[in-house]
Amino acid sequence: MSRPPLVFAAGVFYPGGEHITGWRSGADASSYLDLDYWTRFAQTAESGRFATLFLADELYVWDRFRSGIEHGTNVRLEPFTLLSALSQLTTKIGLAATVSTTYNEPYHVARKLASLDHLSHGRAAWNLVTSASDEEARNFGRDTHLDHGIRYERGAEFVDVVNGLWDGWDDDAFVFDKSSGRYADRSKLHVLEHRGEHFAVRGPLNIPRPVQGHPPLFQAGASEAGRALAGRTADAVFTLGGGSLASGQKLYDDYKRRALAAGRGADDLKVLPWFSPIIGDTEADAEERFRELAELTPERVQVDLLAHYLGVDLGERDVDETFTFDFDHEGFNQSKSGYKAIADLLAQRPYTLRELAWEVLRRRFTVGTPDTLAAHLIERYENGAADGFILMAPTLPDTLTRFVEHIVPRLTDHGIYPGEYAGDTLRENLGLARPAGRYAA
Amino acid sequence: MSRPPLVFAAGVFYPGGEHITGWRSGADASSYLDLDYWTRFAQTAESGRFATLFLADELYVWDRFRSGIEHGTNVRLEPFTLLSALSQLTTKIGLAATVSTTYNEPYHVARKLASLDHLSHGRAAWNLVTSASDEEARNFGRDTHLDHGIRYERGAEFVDVVNGLWDGWDDDAFVFDKSSGRYADRSKLHVLEHRGEHFAVRGPLNIPRPVQGHPPLFQAGASEAGRALAGRTADAVFTLGGGSLASGQKLYDDYKRRALAAGRGADDLKVLPWFSPIIGDTEADAEERFRELAELTPERVQVDLLAHYLGVDLGERDVDETFTFDFDHEGFNQSKSGYKAIADLLAQRPYTLRELAWEVLRRRFTVGTPDTLAAHLIERYENGAADGFILMAPTLPDTLTRFVEHIVPRLTDHGIYPGEYAGDTLRENLGLARPAGRYAA
């Protein structure tokens, strides 16, 4: 069997692009609340045959530091309402919403995803996150967020409940027979009656089984618990990109092994590294574009971002002194992979705080020309480090437009990227089979 | 000051229409999951200058009795995803989603409504319900639903938190100044820090203040606790229609008095009785249409519906015997107003179970011709019993279409119904002022 073609997801967290000050370079930020802005984004991605849109999300405003309010862009439209509106202005591209399993109820989530899947004729997907900040906890009745292990336990049970609710109605449970007056076939309904550690959900769900059976499930957890859950349940994982080919291959193999160990096929779990390119006409132009963006980012924001990743306040530190930090990998309770990446950097050589903040910002992006960037993607794909990529355009709409105009054709010409959509549903366009219901004969 | 013009909401609970077997008379029920069906519904209502759509909702499948699965139509699209999709296919009509304050978190709800309000340029609204069935409780981790008093306490606090979150950002808090890099003005942010009996929500909300300030709040609670909450907080109440003019006036006056007692204006709380017409070309044709629909409803469904309203199982009762029932108004914990209406019926004369089930079904509908139905609406509006009506079309799409074609012109000709929309936002079209933020100077 030949290798499934390369796939792309078009992701967005900050509305102006993945770079925290990307908003200063593109469309006017007042347009972020208007659907026209997002329609252009979605339609551009669709013109580049992206398998899916992906809306990253958090449930709070980043106001831990003053710079987060003054300069941050962390207000945005809610993913389901936005994607549902976009479902009527697109025809092929997937619509993936981020869902926190810590601050949601599985009944609501199963229902919203099923509804979006019906409205889009099979293009819904979800990205499971477990939420890792105290700020989010405080918007939902808690003072601190749940411990890492508990969050993933709850997340695993959440997935099980959602899948069970979707499977509660067989695909052909609804009869809709006007002449006899029979609406549904009771024998094709399976009441869930779930009673677990974290949830008690009886069911049935009040919407028929989704078009895709189970809308695809994406995850990004890189910790042991996160990888274990992804190996068992995810259809695609978003991984950190940007490291060496060898580290990418190692990560790729790890996820594939976990899928196989869970009794699934290696192709059932797509590995999609994060890719956030600064696209220049020449290498020098690309570096210049990065520098321009970085210089638009107040140093306070750069330092506060680093402080955020480390879970501390660095407000009193001198930015010109050599930066030392006492890492506590066991006790740290936000994103463990980002934390470790910073520890790895500091293990290589000394940095001042200013240098480290800059370097951490720098490492989120891959800087190059269409030729070098396409070559990077091809290398990762052809050497077992990626099934595709999640494009987090640092600036919008221009990076996405440039990517579709200049990089996509190189991948198509190379024969690894499709010239048209494979089908009408996201599962078809990801090369994933439609799952039968758990009660299906 | 002249009386504000008559307003209509186009409501829907069962996708095929308010009559439980309306689905047997109209569009094919398989179309209920497709947006085309809903687009026709919304556009028809918009062509009749309805102020708003209104999606009634529950969080369970009515499977208490076997007939609920076999013959019921209680699966449907989720309100926010459906309304958000419709926001792009309509331009003037409001988009009201039902929200259970018992099984939701105020942060999520404030955010979704704000998002829908921005996407629709000021047309979002919500209908607060407190959820009154054990089936719903069992989908959200409880065995039985909360007591009536607690539900309304929680509902009141929920409204307060949602309004507080919306007001957290002043209307002009976002600066979006590319040249200085200032995104927001910290002095125009007010962190909620709510700590109450039922919720602890810090804020701020991660989306700017809604276009309408506060998207309008609808309620339908008819109990003392429900009316008290509506008097203080609702912009419109949906009341039971169908009784005498005098009873409608009494109810109307009661709500208006409560609004005045809460320091609001009488016009700040619209009273919209429920109106579910069977529209015939003649009186005989209308009665025939009612009978045809009723006869499509299996007797088992009629009896089970009555049993549902009474909170018991009537499966063993002989349908031909005189029906007796021991009402317990204090202890009953579902919809108290529906319960009382049945008690009132039985107090008038004896009924067999079959007769009572038929009569309870019959009383949901007003049967007449365009002339008599328009006269009914005019009488209620002109004599202080209604500011408008919520049309619950028994069959869709045809009752709505007939209403817009035959009844709306009579109301416009009579000079009480607008010939065009007053504005672009729902608040404008309901004649409601836009509220200033609670922190505004």
Side-chain angles (χ1 to χ4, degrees):
Chain A
M1 198 178 110
S2 69
R3 181 93 190 274
L6 185 63
V7 294
F8 280 104
V12 62
F13 176 62
Y14 299 125
E18 180 54 25
H19 197 291
I20 193 169
T21 42
W23 69 276
R24 295 181 69 179
S25 81
D28 196 80
S30 61
S31 67
Y32 299 163
L33 295 174
D34 195 287
L35 197 68
D36 289 347
Y37 176 80
W38 297 101
T39 302
R40 282 196 299 277
F41 171 71
Q43 292 180 346
T44 303
E46 196 166 66
S47 74
R49 284 98 64 204
F50 277 64
T52 192
L53 303 177
F54 157 59
L55 300 188
D57 192 37
E58 290 178 335
L59 299 168
Y60 74 110
V61 168
W62 187 54
D63 66 349
R64 196 180 295 184
F65 309 106
R66 190 174 180 94
S67 73
I69 297 296
E70 296 277 340
H71 304 287
T73 56
N74 44 145
V75 292
R76 61 181 66 83
L77 292 164
E78 185 275 334
F80 279 96
T81 39
L82 175 51
L83 291 173
S84 189
L86 287 175
S87 74
Q88 303 310 308
L89 299 157
T90 53
T91 58
K92 297 285 192 180
I93 199 163
L95 306 162
T98 293
V99 170
S100 165
T101 52
T102 301
Y103 302 115
N104 277 293
E105 291 284 341
Y107 196 90
H108 286 313
V109 169
R111 188 183 184 207
K112 283 191 290 190
L113 282 163
S115 192
L116 182 60
D117 206 46
H118 285 292
L119 285 168
S120 65
H121 301 292
R123 296 188 283 134
W126 57 316
N127 171 50
L128 181 157
V129 299
T130 64
S131 298
S133 78
D134 289 340
E135 285 91 339
E136 289 174 289
R138 293 185 198 119
N139 289 329
F140 296 91
R142 295 178 54 89
D143 289 327
T144 57
H145 67 290
L146 295 177
D147 279 345
H148 193 266
I150 303 286
R151 292 206 309 273
Y152 274 93
E153 266 182 40
R154 182 180 158 109
E157 190 178 328
F158 196 109
V159 171
D160 188 46
V161 174
V162 167
N163 286 337
L165 286 170
W166 283 333
D167 290 346
W169 297 100
D170 289 348
D171 286 314
D172 57 352
F174 290 90
V175 182
F176 301 137
D177 183 358
K178 285 187 189 179
S179 62
S180 71
R182 264 184 99 217
Y183 201 79
D185 181 344
R186 180 67 186 78
S187 72
K188 292 177 176 173
L189 167 61
H190 316 277
V191 180
L192 184 61
E193 300 281 11
H194 176 89
R195 283 191 177 262
E197 189 67 33
H198 299 277
F199 302 105
V201 181
R202 178 179 177 272
L205 195 62
N206 56 355
I207 185 167
R209 195 161 189 259
V211 174
Q212 298 179 97
H214 301 171
L217 173 60
F218 302 152
Q219 290 172 41
S223 65
E224 175 56 33
R227 293 189 200 194
L229 180 62
R232 288 198 310 276
T233 66
D235 296 296
V237 287
F238 301 142
T239 62
L240 284 180
S244 67
L245 174 62
S247 68
Q249 289 168 323
K250 194 174 157 209
L251 196 56
Y252 184 92
D253 289 342
D254 181 74
Y255 279 109
K256 298 291 184 178
R257 257 198 308 272
R258 289 172 191 267
L260 291 167
R264 309 167 65 202
D267 284 341
D268 295 341
L269 176 58
K270 308 292 175 191
V271 177
L272 311 179
W274 177 289
F275 183 60
S276 195
I278 308 272
I279 311 170
D281 297 330
T282 63
E283 291 290 336
D285 176 50
E287 286 295 342
E288 177 60 22
R289 285 169 186 259
F290 171 74
R291 195 166 38 250
E292 275 177 14
L293 262 177
E295 285 169 357
L296 286 175
T297 312
E299 186 169 272
R300 188 74 252 153
V301 175
Q302 296 184 34
V303 171
D304 285 348
L305 263 181
L306 175 64
H308 177 85
Y309 300 142
L310 294 173
V312 294
D313 188 343
L314 299 174
E316 301 301 308
R317 298 275 195 115
D318 182 339
V319 294
D320 289 314
E321 275 186 17
T322 301
F323 184 73
T324 57
F325 192 77
D326 193 14
F327 288 93
D328 170 17
H329 295 281
E330 278 307 302
F332 188 67
N333 195 16
Q334 292 181 188
S335 166
K336 285 177 184 286
S337 50
Y339 191 76
K340 183 170 177 301
I342 298 169
D344 290 349
L345 262 182
L346 278 178
Q348 287 168 23
R349 71 162 177 86
Y351 284 87
T352 65
L353 174 51
R354 170 183 287 136
E355 289 171 340
L356 183 65
W358 176 278
E359 187 62 23
V360 166
L361 188 64
R362 176 71 172 77
R363 285 186 175 239
R364 297 181 76 83
F365 307 102
T366 308
V367 180
T369 65
D371 278 336
T372 63
L373 292 168
H376 171 86
L377 299 176
I378 292 167
E379 181 197 45
R380 299 289 161 125
Y381 172 74
E382 291 189 336
N383 292 283
D387 297 314
F389 298 88
I390 172 168
L391 177 75
M392 298 296 291
T395 57
L396 286 174
D398 70 296
T399 305
L400 178 62
T401 305
R402 287 168 67 80
F403 185 88
V404 168
E405 281 176 7
H406 300 296
I407 297 182
V408 163
R410 285 168 164 82
L411 304 172
T412 311
D413 290 349
H414 195 74
I416 60 173
Y417 192 68
E420 55 188 40
Y421 280 100
D424 294 322
T425 72
L426 176 54
R427 281 199 168 269
E428 289 169 327
N429 291 320
L430 288 172
L432 295 167
R434 183 180 189 278
R438 67 172 66 171
Y439 308 99
Chain B
M1 197 178 110
S2 70
R3 180 96 190 273
L6 186 63
V7 295
F8 280 104
V12 61
F13 176 62
Y14 299 126
E18 179 54 25
H19 196 292
I20 193 168
T21 41
W23 68 276
R24 293 180 72 178
S25 81
D28 197 80
S30 61
S31 67
Y32 299 163
L33 296 173
D34 196 287
L35 196 68
D36 290 347
Y37 176 79
W38 297 102
T39 302
R40 280 195 301 276
F41 171 68
Q43 293 180 347
T44 302
E46 197 167 63
S47 74
R49 284 98 64 202
F50 277 64
T52 190
L53 303 177
F54 156 59
L55 300 187
D57 193 37
E58 290 179 334
L59 300 168
Y60 76 109
V61 168
W62 187 53
D63 66 349
R64 196 181 296 185
F65 307 106
R66 191 175 180 93
S67 74
I69 297 297
E70 295 277 341
H71 304 287
T73 56
N74 44 145
V75 293
R76 61 181 65 86
L77 294 164
E78 185 274 333
F80 279 96
T81 39
L82 174 52
L83 291 173
S84 189
L86 288 175
S87 76
Q88 303 309 308
L89 299 157
T90 52
T91 59
K92 296 285 191 180
I93 198 163
L95 306 161
T98 294
V99 170
S100 166
T101 52
T102 302
Y103 302 115
N104 276 292
E105 291 283 342
Y107 196 90
H108 285 313
V109 170
R111 188 183 184 207
K112 283 191 289 190
L113 282 163
S115 193
L116 182 60
D117 205 46
H118 285 292
L119 285 167
S120 65
H121 302 292
R123 295 187 284 133
W126 57 318
N127 170 50
L128 181 157
V129 299
T130 64
S131 298
S133 78
D134 289 341
E135 285 91 338
E136 290 175 290
R138 292 185 198 119
N139 289 329
F140 294 91
R142 296 177 54 90
D143 289 327
T144 56
H145 68 291
L146 295 178
D147 280 344
H148 192 266
I150 303 285
R151 291 206 311 272
Y152 274 92
E153 268 182 39
R154 183 181 157 110
E157 189 178 329
F158 196 108
V159 171
D160 187 48
V161 174
V162 167
N163 285 338
L165 286 169
W166 282 335
D167 290 344
W169 297 100
D170 289 347
D171 286 315
D172 58 351
F174 291 89
V175 182
F176 301 139
D177 183 0
K178 284 186 187 180
S179 62
S180 71
R182 262 184 101 217
Y183 201 79
D185 181 345
R186 179 67 185 80
S187 72
K188 293 178 177 173
L189 167 62
H190 316 277
V191 180
L192 184 62
E193 300 282 9
H194 175 90
R195 282 191 178 264
E197 189 67 32
H198 299 278
F199 302 104
V201 181
R202 178 179 177 272
L205 195 63
N206 57 355
I207 185 166
R209 194 160 191 260
V211 174
Q212 298 180 97
H214 301 171
L217 174 60
F218 304 151
Q219 290 171 41
S223 65
E224 174 56 35
R227 294 189 199 194
L229 180 62
R232 288 198 309 277
T233 66
D235 296 296
V237 287
F238 300 142
T239 62
L240 284 181
S244 67
L245 174 62
S247 69
Q249 288 167 325
K250 193 173 159 212
L251 197 57
Y252 183 92
D253 289 341
D254 182 74
Y255 279 109
K256 297 292 181 176
R257 258 198 306 273
R258 288 171 190 269
L260 292 167
R264 309 167 65 202
D267 283 342
D268 294 342
L269 176 58
K270 307 292 176 192
V271 176
L272 310 178
W274 177 291
F275 183 60
S276 196
I278 310 270
I279 311 171
D281 297 329
T282 61
E283 291 291 336
D285 177 48
E287 286 295 342
E288 176 61 21
R289 285 169 188 259
F290 170 74
R291 195 167 39 251
E292 274 177 16
L293 262 177
E295 284 169 359
L296 287 175
T297 312
E299 187 169 271
R300 189 73 254 152
V301 175
Q302 296 184 34
V303 171
D304 285 349
L305 263 180
L306 175 64
H308 178 85
Y309 300 142
L310 294 174
V312 294
D313 188 342
L314 299 175
E316 300 301 309
R317 297 273 194 119
D318 183 338
V319 294
D320 289 314
E321 275 185 16
T322 300
F323 184 71
T324 56
F325 193 74
D326 193 13
F327 288 92
D328 170 18
H329 295 281
E330 278 307 303
F332 189 67
N333 195 16
Q334 292 182 186
S335 168
K336 285 177 185 285
S337 49
Y339 191 75
K340 183 168 177 303
I342 297 169
D344 290 349
L345 260 182
L346 278 179
Q348 287 168 24
R349 70 162 178 87
Y351 284 87
T352 66
L353 174 53
R354 171 183 287 135
E355 287 170 341
L356 183 65
W358 175 279
E359 187 61 24
V360 166
L361 187 65
R362 176 72 171 75
R363 287 189 173 236
R364 297 182 76 82
F365 307 103
T366 308
V367 181
T369 65
D371 278 335
T372 63
L373 293 167
H376 171 85
L377 300 176
I378 292 167
E379 180 196 46
R380 299 291 160 125
Y381 172 74
E382 292 188 338
N383 292 283
D387 296 314
F389 298 88
I390 171 167
L391 178 74
M392 299 296 291
T395 57
L396 286 173
D398 70 297
T399 305
L400 177 62
T401 305
R402 288 167 68 80
F403 185 88
V404 168
E405 282 177 8
H406 299 295
I407 296 181
V408 163
R410 285 168 163 80
L411 304 173
T412 311
D413 289 348
H414 195 74
I416 59 173
Y417 191 67
E420 55 187 39
Y421 279 101
D424 293 323
T425 72
L426 176 54
R427 279 197 171 271
E428 288 169 328
N429 291 319
L430 287 173
L432 296 167
R434 182 180 188 278
R438 65 172 69 170
Y439 308 98

